[in-house]
Amino acid sequence: MGKERFKEILNSELQRLDESNVSKRKENIIEKFVSIDGRAKKAVVDNKEYILFNSNDYLGFRFNEDIKKAEEKAIKKFGSGPGAVRFISGSLKIYKELEEELAKFHNAESAITFSSSFAANLAVIHCFIKGQTKSSLVGREVLVISDELNHRSIIDGIRVSGLSKENKVIFKHLDYDHLNQILEKNKGKFSRVLIISDGIFSMLGEYADLKKIQELAKKYDQYYEEGILTIIDDAHGVGAFGETGKGCQEVCNTKPDLIVATMGKAFGSDGGYVVGDKIYIDYLRESAATYIYSNPTSPGTAAAALKALKILQSEEGKRLLEKLKQNQKYFKEKMKYNGFRFAADSTHPIQPILIGDSKKTRELTNKLFEEGIIVTQISYPVVPLGKDEIRIQISAAHAKEDIDELIEKIVPIAKKLEII
Ligand SMILES: Cc1ncc(COP(=O)(O)O)c(C=O)c1O
């Protein structure tokens, strides 16, 4: 038997996922993109064209000619890959330029980039749990408090940190009274606290009340010897939310200690980053395993992200952010008018349409696919069982006609499936 037995076990697990309509591995293979005047680019799958409503490319930057040119230029100058991790064979200047611009954009002292924001979250959580003084009050003195709907990279960051049960607490989603109770109950019992939350919650498009979190951190800071550090993952917020695209920081008009975000969504590029006070960023550069032992993104990717950031701060960026907002409103009003229910009242381009049943949700996404529209089914374990949704993601690249086409096609299918 041996390994054959293991393969049998894996096979039955894959079958179980298929039968429960939640498997994800049968991905659409996009052969290319095609342009239609004034409309969002269409993806070509098996020679058929599809409008995408499931991309994080909120501003359409991944097809921006200036961004592509900046990437090409950097490849010519620095080569196609980083060569090694940054401290070994020298850090390419483009990474420094990008970090300086990110810090400036967020009005922070300093920034550090990573290969992804998943890697950035692992680093932040691990490093700031680990950076302990010798004067600990209790055995392992850090308490981590995390919103129950935080992204998987935060969950895994906490899991791999090796903290014991007593050192990690989950607070109810967006329930800051609960967070207050936890901070009150643990006064004096730990020397340091990390409060960690998504900014925009990726499955629902809701956002955390960063002002409230900061107020609570301030109120209770004195009761913990090394204070309270607030960490916000705003991967979906940056470039898509707020008057100038600074995300939840801007919408809530406050500044968490550390913001983690990605360049792989609204920036149309790739890689993750962290911004905050220089002391935190210096410490990360010295101690984050996913920085020290793992390559950065390629120089072309960094240059594309830098160019995207510059465009975001220009008149064109303002225009795109405004168009994104208008598109999102237009979509939501039309969907509401047609009787769809939303899993949350989101003002972000992530618009979650609540379906509930996984089979119906799969049928809906399959039928839309037949009609030339790709949306994503979000199912367990990403959302709780029985709370399946389709996550529609609006982009500034969508034309009104794209949104109209989606609605014209989804309404009769949803009626037939008795969703509306
Ligand atoms: C909230 C949040 N954080 C982090 C990530 C990971 O982003 P990246 O692709 O940069 O690792 C995602 C993407 O799924 C996300 O939604």
Side-chain angles (χ1 to χ4, degrees), residues 322-336 346-349 351 394 403:
E322 184 52 33
K323 179 149 184 249
L324 179 61
K325 210 158 104 190
Q326 294 310 324
N327 277 353
Q328 177 261 313
K329 275 192 181 158
Y330 181 71
F331 166 79
K332 193 168 175 178
E333 275 161 24
K334 280 205 136 185
M335 289 293 277
K336 269 193 172 161
S346 161
T347 49
H348 180 271
Q351 292 295 317
I394 302 294
I403 298 172

Side-chain angles (χ1 to χ4, degrees), residues 6 20 34 98 123 129 132 151-152 174 231 276 280 295 315 352 398 400:
F6 181 48
S20 42
V34 290
L98 175 59
I129 281 173
Q132 300 178 15
H151 187 258
R152 177 61 185 258
L174 298 181
I231 303 166
Y280 299 135
N295 270 354
E315 283 307 310
H398 287 130
K400 234 173 164 196

Side-chain angles (χ1 to χ4, degrees), residues 69-80 299-300:
K69 270 188 213 140
E71 178 160 8
E72 269 175 41
K73 210 170 138 197
I75 291 172
K76 282 192 187 127
K77 194 165 169 186
F78 295 110
S80 55

Side-chain angles (χ1 to χ4, degrees), residues 116-119 121 151 153 198 200 202 233 235-236 262 265 270-272:
S116 70
S117 66
F118 203 111
N121 271 330
H151 187 258
S153 51
D198 279 10
I200 295 291
S202 53
D233 172 359
H236 286 274
T262 184
K265 300 190 194 296
D270 216 352

Side-chain angles (χ1 to χ4, degrees), residues 8 38 46 65 81 86 109 114 119 127 152 173 183 190 192 216 282 307 370:
E8 265 174 38
D46 276 339
E65 289 307 319
R86 288 171 63 177
E109 281 180 15
F114 288 83
C127 289
R152 177 61 185 258
H173 179 51
L183 289 166
F190 295 87
R192 184 184 333 137
L216 289 174
D282 282 352
K307 188 70 188 174
E370 284 167 23

